[in-house]
Amino acid sequence: MDNKNIINSPVKWMVTIVERGQGQKVAQVFQEYQINIHLVTLGIGTVKSDILDYIGLGGPEKDILMSLVPSDQVNVLIQAMNQRLHFSQPGKGIIFTLPLSCITAAVLNQFYGGDLMQSAKDVAPKENPGFYDLVVTVLKTGIYPTVMEAARQAGAGGGTLVKARSVGANETEKFLNITLNPEKEILFLLVPKSQRHTVMQAICNSVLIETGERATVFSLPIDEVLGLRQQEQQ
């Protein structure tokens, strides 16, 4: 692809996690603001009842919407979501955004039309360190309760689990000492930056004990977040 078709991104990846069946209400808000590029999947909450007030998620079954949103519309959308679905109240859900480094011009054309380059320049993202990271762990099926407990003991409040499947010619091939089995689970955790390394190390140790293999864990920076009770930020 020609490099001129790749642009420093003025767009963010917005993730909304709500109770099963509420995803349609979220999609309606997006449609009202002409945001039409999103994916929907199903997830399972991993939160224990004694910390539901902290994490802001109630029942176990979740709708997860992942959307591309222009940076200049993020705050407006978050306010609209809060007014419609009351994310600031415990148990209503979580919404957060992740910065993107680059994006294709084809996507930006859907947001900004003809004056693409000038529009992209006007809303270019600014550095925002945030206070939370999204810790992502790819797991063999069936071990997440032990891994989640280790993460919780290290400071994580709770998470969301998504079913996945690895693809490849040889489903049992090993890569970097990680067995690529077809069935996978992906655990998403919102973690304060000050606890990120501790949580990730705890996950790695737990996976090693459970499977004898190394864990696939990485973190992504979070910009805005709503629905997660703010801890004291250090």
Side-chain angles (χ1 to χ4, degrees):
M1 181 179 291
D2 194 322
N3 287 338
K4 69 181 180 180
N5 291 320
I6 304 295
I7 298 172
N8 289 337
S9 180
V11 172
K12 293 185 178 182
W13 188 239
M14 180 175 284
V15 179
T16 310
I17 304 175
V18 291
E19 297 298 316
R20 183 70 51 83
Q22 295 295 305
Q24 185 59 41
K25 292 183 180 180
V26 176
Q28 289 174 356
V29 176
F30 281 125
Q31 291 171 3
E32 291 173 10
Y33 286 86
Q34 288 78 52
I35 304 297
N36 299 309
I37 303 176
H38 37 255
L39 305 170
V40 181
T41 188
L42 304 179
I44 302 172
T46 66
V47 184
K48 289 184 176 180
S49 58
D50 59 346
I51 55 173
L52 288 179
D53 185 57
Y54 166 76
I55 191 68
L57 291 174
E61 296 186 334
K62 308 298 175 190
D63 288 342
I64 305 171
L65 285 83
M66 297 167 283
S67 314
L68 290 174
V69 176
S71 298
D72 58 348
Q73 289 186 265
V74 165
N75 290 335
V76 173
L77 270 169
I78 287 179
Q79 291 174 11
M81 290 285 190
N82 193 29
Q83 290 175 357
R84 191 76 58 86
L85 288 99
H86 310 292
F87 281 93
S88 58
Q89 300 178 13
K92 296 300 183 180
I94 292 175
I95 183 168
F96 59 90
T97 61
L98 299 95
L100 305 180
S101 56
C102 293
I103 199 167
T104 59
V107 174
L108 289 187
N109 272 321
Q110 298 189 44
F111 290 126
Y112 300 116
D115 194 10
L116 175 64
M117 294 306 297
Q118 186 59 42
S119 298
K121 181 178 178 181
D122 289 344
V123 295
K126 298 179 180 179
E127 183 178 354
N128 184 353
F131 293 98
Y132 287 89
D133 270 16
L134 178 67
V135 174
V136 181
T137 308
V138 181
L139 300 167
K140 294 176 64 174
T141 57
I143 69 169
Y144 88 85
T146 302
V147 174
M148 185 64 236
E149 182 59 28
R152 186 177 287 115
Q153 291 294 325
T160 299
L161 192 74
V162 176
K163 300 289 186 178
R165 176 180 290 273
S166 62
V167 294
N170 186 348
E171 292 183 331
T172 61
E173 179 182 358
K174 282 198 171 184
F175 176 70
L176 296 179
N177 292 323
I178 302 170
T179 302
L180 301 180
N181 293 314
E183 297 295 332
K184 297 291 182 184
E185 293 173 337
I186 304 175
L187 181 63
F188 296 100
L189 299 166
L190 279 174
V191 176
K193 282 185 179 294
S194 61
Q195 295 174 289
R196 174 187 59 197
H197 290 294
T198 303
V199 170
M200 293 178 71
Q201 187 61 57
I203 290 172
C204 290
N205 293 342
S206 177
V207 171
L208 182 62
I209 292 171
E210 286 291 310
T211 69
E213 299 174 350
R214 298 175 184 174
T216 304
V217 189
F218 57 91
S219 65
L220 300 166
I222 297 296
D223 286 336
E224 295 82 4
V225 61
L226 179 65
L228 187 69
R229 176 166 292 180
Q230 303 292 315
Q231 292 184 328
E232 182 179 356
Q233 296 170 351
Q234 303 174 353

